[in-house]
Amino acid sequence: MTDADTTNAATGTTTGTTTGTTAGTPTAAGADWQAWQRSWDRQQEWYMPDREERFRIMLDMVEALVGPAPRVLDLACGTGTITARLLDRFPEATSTGVDLDPALLAIAEGTFAGDERVSFVAADLKDPDWPATLPYDAYDAVLTATALHWFHAEPLADLYGRVAGLVRDGGVFMNADHMIDDTTPRINAAERAQRHARMDAAKEEGALDWSEWWQLAAKDPVLAAPTARRFEIYGEHADGEMPSAAWHARVLREKGFGEARPVWCSPSDTLLLAVK
């Protein structure tokens, strides 16, 4: 699958770290970061009209398992989508966002500038030492959405092992992403055809796709430079592998989680929850 895409902290060859509300990317006073957040949300919702539902269930399970004031690692955080929803619902929560994309981090940093509950780290999740760059050794919850499909299976399994080392006993990890069951090819083909028909109709009404959104970012006075660096790091978009939910659950258990299973799914995506 190549059509439902979000931030990529999975690939790239460089690693840098900064905590606080700056991660090496300049921001401009007066930039309308909320407008960029809304634009990002609309672009993502073109691919995933049920996007908010997965976030709601994710936060339901955070509250159920670790309470309403969690310390959260927003993994492959992008513009801080999960962090924004986390803090809206749980004002006493804290969040560390980690990503490598300088343009999306610029939006995240601008959005949360001055909020002491939030810090950001620029790091490559394929670097085995990235956990050492974080401000905390352990988290109540590690959350990610529509990002880890950039990984191939072996490095994703390695990442899961590092995530397991960051989640406290009793804490949780959740990944909402594309998880494809190859044993159901007819169902998969029908779902894909219907989804693309809906997307085509929305496109005719003016919806922006991934490429068009990045074209706008490249023309923005504030985001042009970090967008150029972003494409130097990643090049053009390329997907990794998208194994089944059963694969994710099995590997998470192998890497140190006690329980793992889906807690939400759509025709194409799954929210997989693991408890340490």
Side-chain angles (χ1 to χ4, degrees):
M1 186 185 301
T2 60
D3 47 38
D5 309 306
T6 187
T7 180
N8 175 4
T11 61
T13 57
T14 62
T15 301
T17 67
T18 309
T19 58
T21 55
T22 59
T25 303
T27 61
D32 192 344
W33 298 117
Q34 291 299 330
W36 278 109
Q37 291 284 1
R38 292 190 296 271
S39 175
W40 178 258
D41 284 343
R42 288 193 298 270
Q43 178 257 126
Q44 290 288 284
E45 287 162 359
W46 180 63
Y47 296 103
M48 297 167 288
D50 50 19
R51 184 167 174 257
E52 293 301 325
E53 179 69 7
R54 73 194 66 196
F55 294 140
R56 183 184 68 80
I57 298 299
M58 178 181 283
L59 296 181
D60 281 350
M61 300 312 298
V62 166
E63 185 174 22
L65 287 160
V66 299
R71 176 189 293 169
V72 170
L73 177 62
D74 187 350
L75 191 71
C77 66
T79 66
T81 297
I82 290 174
T83 293
R85 287 148 182 80
L86 172 78
L87 297 180
D88 281 347
R89 179 158 169 179
F90 306 125
E92 296 182 10
T94 59
S95 178
T96 303
V98 59
D99 207 311
L100 188 59
D101 189 313
L104 298 184
L105 278 174
I107 296 172
E109 292 160 359
T111 300
F112 296 99
D115 192 332
E116 295 182 354
R117 298 171 298 176
V118 184
S119 61
F120 292 101
V121 173
D124 182 353
L125 296 183
K126 284 189 174 180
D127 183 333
D129 295 326
W130 71 265
T133 69
L134 301 175
Y136 302 106
D137 294 330
Y139 289 84
D140 300 309
V142 178
L143 309 177
T144 188
T146 329
L148 300 189
H149 63 277
W150 295 78
F151 278 85
H152 291 278
E154 184 174 348
L156 180 56
D158 290 341
L159 176 64
Y160 279 171
R162 295 184 186 101
V163 168
L166 289 167
V167 176
R168 67 162 174 83
D169 288 346
V172 301
F173 168 69
M174 278 182 269
N175 178 16
D177 210 341
H178 321 305
M179 300 183 187
I180 307 303
D181 188 340
D182 290 332
T183 68
T184 59
R186 289 182 295 171
I187 295 172
N188 298 348
E191 180 279 323
R192 183 179 177 85
Q194 183 191 54
R195 176 162 43 88
H196 278 262
R198 174 189 55 76
M199 291 165 65
D200 289 344
K203 197 76 163 58
E204 292 178 359
E205 297 177 358
L208 293 180
D209 63 20
W210 170 263
S211 296
E212 290 167 333
W213 190 90
W214 281 110
Q215 290 169 16
L216 287 179
K219 296 175 182 177
D220 183 84
V222 176
L223 292 178
T227 296
R229 291 198 297 274
R230 185 246 180 232
F231 281 95
E232 289 174 1
I233 293 169
Y234 302 126
E236 295 301 322
H237 172 68
D239 279 313
E241 296 176 58
M242 286 164 275
S244 68
W247 180 92
H248 287 268
R250 175 179 60 79
V251 171
L252 286 164
R253 288 191 294 267
E254 290 173 353
K255 295 298 183 179
F257 287 92
E259 300 177 12
R261 72 167 177 85
V263 292
W264 174 91
C265 69
S266 70
S268 62
D269 292 1
T270 298
L271 173 58
L272 201 292
L273 165 63
V275 181
K276 185 79 173 286

